[in-house]
Amino acid sequence: MKDEIMAEIEDQELIHGLTAEFDSVDSLLTACRRVRDAGFTRTDAFTPFPVHGIDKALGIRPTKLPWISLTGGVIGCLTGLAMEVWMNGINYQYIISGKPFISLPAFIPVSFELTILLAAFSSFLGMLALNRLPRFSNPLFTNPRFDRATDDRFFLFIDSKDPRFELEGARKLLSDCGSQHVDPVVEDNSSATVPRPFFYVLCTLAILALVPPVVIARMRVTRSGSPRFHIFYDMDFSPAKDAQTKTTLFADGRSMRPDVPGTVARGQLEYGLDFNTGIDMEALAAIDPERAQRLVGAFQPPAEEPAEEAPAEDTPAVEEVPAEDEPAEQPPAEEEPAEEEPADDKPAEDKPAEDKPAEDKPADDKPADDKPAEEKPAEEKPADEEPMEEKPADDKPAEEKPAEEKPADAKPMAEEKPAEEQPAEEAPAAEPPVDSLTVDNTPWLKTNPLSITMAKLERGQQQFNIYCAVCHGRDGSGSGLVAQRAQKILSPTWVPPTKLYNVDLGPEQYPDGKLFNTITHGIRKMPGYGAQIKAEDRWAIVAYLRALQASRNADALVDLVPEGQRSELKSMQEAVKQRLEEEAQKAAEAANKSAEDAPKTALQNS
Amino acid sequence: MSHSEPIKLKAPDHESLQLPASMANLALPLLGGGGLVLLIGWAIGTATEEGVRYAMLAYLSAFMFCITVSLGSLFFVIIQHLSRAGWSATVRRTTELLASAMPLLAVMFVPILIAVWVGGETMYAWRGEAFHELEVAEAKSLYLNPLFFTVRAVFCFGAWILLARYFCGMSKRQDETGEVKLTEKMQFWSGPAVIVFGLTASIAAFDWIMSLAPLWFSTMFGVYIFAGSVLSSLAACTVLVYWFQSQGKVKDEITVEHYHDLGKLIFGFIVFWAYISFSQYMLIWYANIPEETEWFFLRQEHGWATISIILILLHWLLPFLAMLSRNLRRSPRWVFGWSLYLLVMHFIDLFWSIMPQASETLGPSGGGLGMLSVILCGVGMTALYLGGVFKLAADVPLIPVRDPRLVESIAFENI
């Protein structure tokens, strides 16, 4: 058989090498040594099981693989370190657990894992590459005898590319080693073209694979009225949150009875209602007993409180507004009620719900209202300077039940005044920031119910630095880390935090109770912190805020300083001004730093 | 070695399988001299500012060094049977010898027991008045009291001596009978033995070192001491084997392949030690709870920070980078050199774990005298221990001559 094949293969180019078959490990190892000693270097052995020492017998040099693994490991380690240093130390500095921005011990676990990962990957891929794998076929497989290499035979292979290879000589050497079967390995000259069907299937799959990205790309550029399609559900509306079965315990589908409105469960109201709402409830009850009752009711089930915020923003807008404003009209408001007073209850209801939309479609809404003329100015003013709306915030607790249960109620109301319907639907979408506060006649608490001590102020400062400073900045200037970051990346949905020492937020314009309420329920983009900060601490924050405001508007408070020290203060102030001027000049020179110095110059001007 | 050359086993009483005379003759001088040096070291310790307390902790450091080597060796022996390892048969005898000196170490523990019973808070602060005034003392005293402490120590030493006698004794018996059954028996008992070992080793680490700071606790501390223990025993095994060979013994039986494997294990345990010590440190560092940071805080003060950094760089980084090299691991001389080095590092590791507790202010140098005391105690105790090992080794061949896996082990090749 050998000779037949040899006869066929006249052209030596076609010979890939020679294999010799052996019966035992020992004969293979002996042959290996002889071949090695004969000076062959491009050799290989094939055995059914690992044979220790065969590398040495064949004279195979140690593999380069460890160097590839080491390189991968080092790259992984450096990547991990560089990534963490860049992310947490440079690009997005954030204090975590009070550690430095670049904190090696905290970085080691990630670097370690990446070291292992990349070392393993590079070992695996390097092994494949060094073995020239994967490949579909090997010329050795053309010899049917070679199948026994995985069974009970041992093969030695000499490559024809070996510089010492010479067919007859090599064959003689292998035969001398005791091999009964020395066969030439023929180059596999079968066609290398990919079979057609395989090609077609591959093409089809490739085209099909393009479909999802194309669909996604199209969805991203087209408008649609239907809700967004989520590949991965947000936790907020994950189906996992839905109950799997409906309860039949009560006819209305509830599993518990709601608390009776107007009652307070034991232990639920530690400091009284005023303390927890920031509203003088007695006064409110006199003005608007209904709302007062609702507020009382809302404070009973504390579990439901957090749930209120989300729904309150959307659907209940219709309900909310009337609730807020109706009472507002009756007593004379303290702030800027002049314009409002003449207005009736009804028009007042519409305003907050409409806010912007009202301006957009005056044709629809205004005629429907009783006195549209008065509303407009009322809306615009607040929108300009102080667009805060504590109403939704305020009412959320009160409205929570209506929001869930009586969407039906909203409809009839809307029917009464068709004008309301549109704004009600659009209001949430149209952006809340432009809500009006003109009609806020809520009797906010004017004084902090806490007795202010240094300890309370420090507590307030501490809580402020934890919860508020991330956006508002430690000085209340709105320069917190989150705000800085948002401005840096030009976040399109970002509403800059208010400067907390604005005069609009002073004790006159913005009573303590209202401030408390804003902290509790949030405002515009600011979320409510009622669930996170205890009421007592919220009041402490309010107290601290007043101190913060006083520190930033110190000129007005100079009378509080004892006579003797005023001149000293004056000279210090002069020095500071001078210093600031110098700084400002320097800053002006360095053009790119001007933004940073802006607050200082502003301060100096005031 | 290869499969093609049949392996001829030497007769059990072959001259090259016996402990070299030079080493056998060292046994008594080592025992005597070691004891003397230990005493001198202890006496110098009492001359420091902290007096007997410093001397006792120097003694404890030296004792822990020897007991960790011995314990690591015991673990090595057990784990070879548990995994039915073939490669290690030739070097296993060396670790058996290191482990079977356990009774000697039990005797060396007596001074510590005496210090606990009669010395008050000389060694362990939980014996002191100040500790018992603390609120936690009531609960902690259930565990940290002299009686229970002694019971645990007796239990630990009992278990270790039993295990060492069993595994080393069976192996010695096999030298004479050659019964395969003995190996099977040892394999059967190796599983439960590992569990007992894990429990007792943790108790030892908690009781003898961790309770020096009675308010501090780390559940990882047992593993930390264990990691150093196995590392040091592998290093000690390599050193002894190299020593035997340098005296012309067991040259055919222990080959470069065994050094290679020992080197791999040493490399692995260098990383394991670093992994465990870092894990212990990082959790405490990150949580930053006062009751936990106390221990590391002490080791950043009064010059201990230098030792801490030395441990990171020289106990882990340097040997790690060195032992990465396959060429190095296949060079008996280099593996021997690094093993000696790692034994020194292990002693520094224990020194760092124990000695900061000796004095609030003295620092690593211990005012000069302290350092001298620690070194002399370490050298003395090690010599004493080594003398004991040589004494035991004089009676038995240096390899398990009729182990069923001996041929496999001698023929062993890594690739």
Side-chain angles (χ1 to χ4, degrees):
Chain A
M1 184 176 167
K2 248 183 315 183
D3 297 330
E4 283 164 34
I5 296 171
M6 288 313 296
E8 274 174 39
I9 307 160
E10 310 258 302
D11 189 357
Q12 295 230 341
E13 290 295 302
L14 280 178
I15 292 187
H16 186 64
L18 278 179
T19 55
E21 185 184 315
F22 297 94
D23 295 339
S24 68
V25 176
D26 286 341
S27 52
L28 174 73
L29 282 171
T30 318
C32 285
R33 284 194 205 96
R34 282 192 63 174
V35 168
R36 175 193 69 193
D37 295 341
F40 288 95
T41 49
R42 302 195 61 140
T43 52
D44 207 349
F46 302 88
T47 58
F49 49 82
V51 175
H52 288 307
I54 199 150
D55 289 37
K56 219 195 296 172
L58 269 177
I60 294 175
R61 273 172 295 136
T63 170
K64 290 186 202 76
L65 192 58
W67 291 104
I68 299 176
S69 308
L70 180 68
T71 313
V74 170
I75 289 173
C77 182
L78 295 180
T79 307
L81 277 179
M83 185 176 77
E84 289 172 293
V85 169
W86 166 250
M87 285 176 176
N88 201 56
I90 297 165
N91 186 35
Y92 192 12
Q93 294 192 333
Y94 209 89
I95 296 170
I96 299 166
S97 194
K99 308 299 182 205
F101 292 128
I102 297 177
S103 174
L104 194 60
F107 291 173
I108 283 177
V110 171
S111 309
F112 173 76
E113 298 297 339
L114 269 185
T115 308
I116 304 298
L117 184 76
L118 288 209
F121 276 173
S122 52
S123 301
F124 179 67
L125 297 176
M127 181 275 291
L128 288 183
L130 290 178
N131 285 319
R132 308 235 164 75
L133 287 173
R135 59 199 282 196
F136 293 109
S137 174
N138 191 311
L140 283 165
F141 299 154
T142 53
N143 182 359
R145 294 196 71 89
F146 187 73
D147 292 353
R148 293 180 75 175
T150 59
D151 191 4
D152 59 352
R153 285 293 184 274
F154 304 83
F155 287 85
L156 179 58
F157 170 71
I158 304 178
D159 199 304
S160 64
K161 293 191 194 78
D162 192 293
R164 290 186 165 256
F165 186 83
E166 184 267 311
L167 191 59
E168 283 312 313
R171 182 126 61 107
K172 188 163 182 307
L173 176 66
L174 289 175
S175 301
D176 289 350
C177 291
S179 172
Q180 297 304 307
H181 301 277
V182 180
D183 298 325
V185 177
V186 187
E187 284 291 4
D188 189 355
N189 58 357
S190 55
S191 168
T193 50
V194 181
R196 285 277 133 183
F198 189 76
F199 181 75
Y200 291 138
V201 168
L202 217 64
C203 281
T204 318
L205 285 179
I207 290 167
L208 285 178
L210 284 176
V211 172
V214 167
V215 169
I216 291 169
R218 188 175 169 278
M219 283 165 94
R220 282 190 71 91
V221 296
T222 46
R223 286 177 164 276
S224 164
S226 50
R228 189 177 201 180
F229 178 73
H230 286 266
I231 297 169
F232 301 106
Y233 275 118
D234 276 356
M235 284 302 287
D236 287 344
F237 40 89
S238 159
K241 278 179 76 175
D242 296 341
Q244 293 182 13
T245 53
K246 279 190 176 165
T247 173
T248 54
L249 192 62
F250 290 110
D252 60 0
R254 280 177 174 263
S255 56
M256 284 173 80
R257 299 322 300 157
D259 296 274
V260 179
T263 58
V264 178
R266 272 186 199 162
Q268 290 292 324
L269 219 50
E270 217 177 325
Y271 291 95
L273 209 53
D274 290 9
F275 192 92
N276 279 283
T277 55
I279 299 172
D280 183 349
M281 293 305 284
E282 295 280 326
L284 185 68
I287 302 164
D288 179 8
E290 207 183 314
R291 185 176 166 215
Q293 204 173 36
R294 266 204 304 272
L295 269 176
V296 170
F299 265 88
Q300 289 167 344
E304 286 174 53
E305 248 186 276
E308 292 151 18
E309 280 157 43
E313 273 171 43
D314 309 327
T315 26
V318 181
E319 263 287 322
E320 227 167 70
V321 173
E324 246 284 307
D325 300 352
E326 262 171 326
E329 253 78 290
Q330 284 148 3
E334 285 147 330
E335 285 151 54
E336 291 161 320
E339 290 156 3
E340 236 56 38
E341 259 165 89
D344 292 358
D345 300 357
K346 297 295 145 74
E349 280 170 46
D350 304 348
K351 277 174 249 160
E354 288 159 10
D355 26 314
K356 262 214 174 148
E359 290 164 17
D360 298 345
K361 315 177 191 176
D364 299 344
D365 303 353
K366 299 296 136 103
D369 295 337
D370 299 4
K371 301 185 182 171
E374 281 155 13
E375 285 170 50
K376 259 200 173 169
E379 287 167 65
E380 278 157 19
K381 250 196 188 166
D384 293 347
E385 50 178 12
E386 200 181 335
M388 310 215 165
E389 20 120 41
E390 59 290 298
K391 269 156 249 159
D394 191 33
D395 292 3
K396 275 170 212 164
E399 240 76 56
E400 146 227 5
K401 256 164 256 165
E404 287 166 21
E405 287 175 2
K406 325 185 218 171
D409 294 11
K411 285 286 141 65
M413 290 206 65
E415 275 159 30
E416 283 169 39
K417 294 183 199 93
E420 221 176 346
E421 232 179 299
Q422 290 141 342
E425 281 167 17
E426 280 166 31
E431 254 312 274
V434 210
D435 213 332
S436 78
L437 90 160
T438 36
V439 286
D440 174 26
N441 290 340
T442 311
W444 298 113
L445 290 184
K446 295 232 156 228
T447 51
N448 199 320
L450 289 183
S451 53
I452 312 289
T453 60
M454 199 59 204
K456 286 273 158 52
L457 278 177
E458 273 165 3
R459 176 71 183 168
Q461 180 181 29
Q462 185 229 16
Q463 293 286 303
F464 177 86
N465 286 344
I466 291 172
Y467 292 103
C468 317
V470 281
C471 286
H472 288 286
R474 291 194 165 216
D475 57 353
S477 66
S479 62
L481 278 173
V482 174
Q484 284 177 24
R485 172 75 179 170
Q487 274 161 6
K488 201 168 169 188
I489 63 171
L490 300 174
S491 168
T493 57
W494 179 252
V495 179
T498 311
K499 287 188 174 56
L500 294 177
Y501 43 78
N502 271 357
V503 185
D504 308 339
L505 295 179
E508 291 306 316
Q509 294 91 326
Y510 213 96
D512 280 3
K514 196 169 167 183
L515 208 47
F516 173 86
N517 183 71
T518 302
I519 297 170
T520 309
H521 297 297
I523 189 165
R524 291 189 305 270
K525 283 275 187 180
M526 171 180 157
Y529 285 83
Q532 279 154 283
I533 315 177
K534 286 191 297 183
E536 206 179 341
D537 287 341
R538 274 177 267 152
W539 283 114
I541 292 177
V542 169
Y544 173 66
L545 274 178
R546 293 298 179 220
L548 196 68
Q549 289 171 342
S551 76
R552 296 304 293 246
N553 303 312
D555 279 357
L557 300 168
V558 78
D559 297 344
L560 297 178
V561 178
E563 284 278 348
Q565 292 174 19
R566 275 186 210 171
S567 60
E568 196 188 335
L569 196 68
K570 207 71 175 169
S571 64
M572 275 169 67
Q573 204 177 11
E574 286 301 316
V576 169
K577 268 190 187 174
Q578 209 176 342
R579 183 76 196 279
L580 283 175
E581 263 166 35
E582 283 168 21
E583 296 267 313
Q585 268 179 347
K586 270 186 211 167
E589 283 161 24
N592 54 344
K593 280 191 179 175
S594 60
E596 266 177 42
D597 289 39
K600 284 183 201 165
T601 22
L603 201 148
Q604 163 201 357
N605 292 343
S606 64
Chain B
M1 287 295 150
S2 81
H3 297 259
S4 51
E5 293 164 20
I7 285 157
K8 280 167 265 156
L9 287 182
K10 290 173 184 151
D13 53 354
H14 191 280
E15 204 263 323
S16 82
L17 300 184
Q18 304 305 318
L19 187 73
S22 58
M23 289 161 93
N25 295 338
L26 266 178
L28 282 179
L30 278 176
L31 277 169
L36 194 67
V37 173
L38 182 61
L39 261 179
I40 294 171
W42 188 86
I44 290 175
T46 58
T48 60
E49 278 172 39
E50 295 287 332
V52 183
R53 176 172 177 74
Y54 202 98
M56 280 318 291
L57 290 198
Y59 182 89
L60 181 69
S61 304
F63 171 77
M64 284 313 296
F65 177 72
C66 295
I67 193 85
T68 46
V69 169
S70 190
L71 276 180
S73 302
L74 180 60
F75 175 76
F76 182 85
V77 173
I78 298 173
I79 211 81
Q80 298 316 309
H81 289 300
L82 188 65
S83 59
R84 289 130 165 82
W87 73 272
S88 58
T90 53
V91 294
R92 204 186 64 225
R93 175 54 51 84
T94 312
T95 54
E96 280 169 6
L97 292 171
L98 285 169
S100 53
M102 198 66 78
L104 174 68
L105 291 170
V107 173
M108 300 312 289
F109 186 71
V110 172
I112 295 170
L113 272 187
I114 293 173
V116 167
W117 278 100
V118 300
E121 58 182 324
T122 310
M123 273 192 86
Y124 293 99
W126 47 266
R127 289 282 283 123
E129 289 297 318
F131 176 75
H132 286 278
E133 280 162 17
L134 297 171
E135 212 173 306
V136 290
E138 200 181 335
K140 287 218 170 207
S141 295
L142 289 177
Y143 186 86
L144 292 176
N145 59 67
L147 183 64
F148 196 22
F149 180 88
T150 313
V151 168
R152 287 192 304 271
V154 168
F155 170 67
C156 287
F157 274 111
W160 297 335
I161 290 172
L162 207 72
L163 289 176
R165 281 187 74 91
Y166 180 75
F167 284 98
C168 308
M170 293 280 254
S171 180
K172 269 180 227 163
R173 220 164 87 194
Q174 203 174 40
D175 286 350
E176 280 139 33
T177 64
E179 281 177 275
V180 179
K181 223 177 159 58
L182 296 177
T183 300
E184 284 166 358
K185 265 190 182 170
M186 285 193 280
Q187 283 171 3
F188 177 81
W189 284 110
S190 57
V194 159
I195 296 172
V196 173
F197 175 87
L199 185 71
T200 47
S202 287
I203 289 178
F206 292 161
D207 279 13
W208 303 342
I209 302 184
M210 202 169 93
S211 79
L212 285 170
L215 293 182
W216 184 74
F217 53 91
S218 159
T219 47
M220 253 183 218
F221 197 79
V223 187
Y224 172 69
I225 294 297
F226 164 79
S229 162
V230 178
L231 178 62
S232 61
S233 70
L234 289 165
C237 173
T238 311
V239 168
L240 276 189
V241 163
Y242 190 84
W243 196 347
F244 295 152
Q245 291 199 324
S246 71
Q247 305 289 317
K249 307 291 179 181
V250 289
K251 284 211 132 172
D252 298 330
E253 285 76 16
I254 296 172
T255 67
V256 66
E257 305 294 339
H258 298 106
Y259 283 100
H260 188 183
D261 258 20
L262 284 170
K264 282 190 276 188
L265 280 171
I266 288 172
F267 174 70
F269 274 91
I270 288 170
V271 179
F272 184 62
W273 176 87
Y275 182 86
I276 293 298
S277 26
F278 176 73
S279 302
Q280 177 174 276
Y281 172 75
M282 194 198 71
L283 291 178
I284 290 172
W285 169 82
Y286 217 119
N288 204 11
I289 301 169
E291 64 188 23
E292 291 181 353
T293 48
E294 162 209 9
W295 202 75
F296 283 107
F297 186 72
L298 186 56
R299 280 151 185 81
Q300 291 174 9
E301 299 290 308
H302 310 298
W304 286 106
T306 319
I307 307 286
S308 308
I309 289 164
I310 282 177
L311 280 178
I312 299 171
L313 297 180
L314 300 187
H315 195 304
W316 170 65
L317 187 64
L318 185 67
F320 169 79
L321 292 177
M323 301 291 283
L324 260 180
S325 161
R326 183 174 177 275
N327 290 338
L328 185 145
R329 292 196 302 265
R330 287 187 72 81
S331 156
R333 186 188 295 182
W334 279 106
V335 181
F336 163 73
W338 280 103
S339 295
L340 262 185
Y341 169 87
L342 282 167
L343 282 172
V344 174
M345 276 301 139
H346 177 59
F347 185 72
I348 294 177
D349 180 24
L350 289 170
F351 169 69
W352 176 87
S353 302
I354 294 170
M355 292 318 287
Q357 243 61 48
S359 157
E360 285 285 321
T361 50
L362 274 181
S365 71
L369 275 184
M371 181 74 93
L372 187 64
S373 161
V374 170
I375 292 173
L376 286 182
C377 282
V379 170
M381 184 81 82
T382 310
L384 198 70
Y385 173 60
L386 211 55
V389 171
F390 286 168
K391 194 110 185 67
L392 288 166
D395 304 335
V396 287
L398 295 177
I399 56 168
V401 279
R402 294 174 79 175
D403 190 287
R405 295 201 175 90
L406 188 61
V407 176
E408 183 189 347
S409 176
I410 294 172
F412 167 67
E413 294 200 39
N414 271 293
I415 297 165

